[in-house]
Amino acid sequence: MAIQKAHTSKQGITSSSAYHRIERADCRKDRTTLAIVHIYNSASDKDRSSLDSFDFEFTMDVTNSGANPINQAYEYLKTQDGIGGIDYTTGTTDV
C-alpha cells in the first residue's frame, strides 16, 4: 500500500510518479499515532534510499470498526494539505 503522487524533493529531484509509503505507525496510549512517510522516486525504487521523509501525528480510531494503523494513516494523510510540505488532497493515486 502506498500513494503515487508527483513530487519534487528538497534537493530538486522531480518525479512524476513518486511513491509515498508509510513505513511505520507507532500508536501511543493517548490514541495519537506517529506515522513515518518515505518518498521514493518510483515504486520500483522502494528498496533504495528515499528522496524525502517526514512524520506526522493523527488520532487513531481504536474501536473494533477502526482500520489498522497504517490504513488509518493513509486515509488521514489524503485529507491533508501541507503535511511534509505536500498537498495530499489532490493528485493522489492509491497503489
Side-chain angles (χ1 to χ4, degrees):
M1 172 180 271
I3 293 172
Q4 185 175 333
K5 179 176 177 59
H7 179 71
T8 301
S9 73
K10 296 171 189 161
Q11 298 81 16
I13 299 168
T14 300
S15 173
S16 61
S17 58
Y19 188 79
H20 304 236
R21 182 170 71 182
I22 295 175
E23 299 289 334
R24 205 168 86 204
D26 296 330
C27 306
R28 301 179 180 148
K29 288 182 183 180
D30 65 356
R31 290 188 5 193
T32 61
T33 300
L34 177 69
I36 313 291
V37 178
H38 286 242
I39 303 171
Y40 302 90
N41 187 52
S42 67
S44 61
D45 293 323
K46 65 185 176 192
D47 294 324
R48 297 181 180 183
S49 294
S50 61
L51 296 175
D52 280 326
S53 64
F54 63 90
D55 59 53
F56 66 93
E57 290 184 344
F58 69 100
T59 302
M60 190 173 76
D61 177 1
V62 294
T63 65
N64 286 339
S65 61
N68 74 52
I70 298 289
N71 288 345
Q72 287 188 47
Y74 278 113
E75 292 306 313
Y76 176 80
L77 187 61
K78 292 186 290 185
T79 67
Q80 300 302 301
D81 177 3
I83 289 184
I86 301 166
D87 180 0
Y88 281 98
T89 63
T90 64
T92 62
T93 303
D94 294 336
V95 292

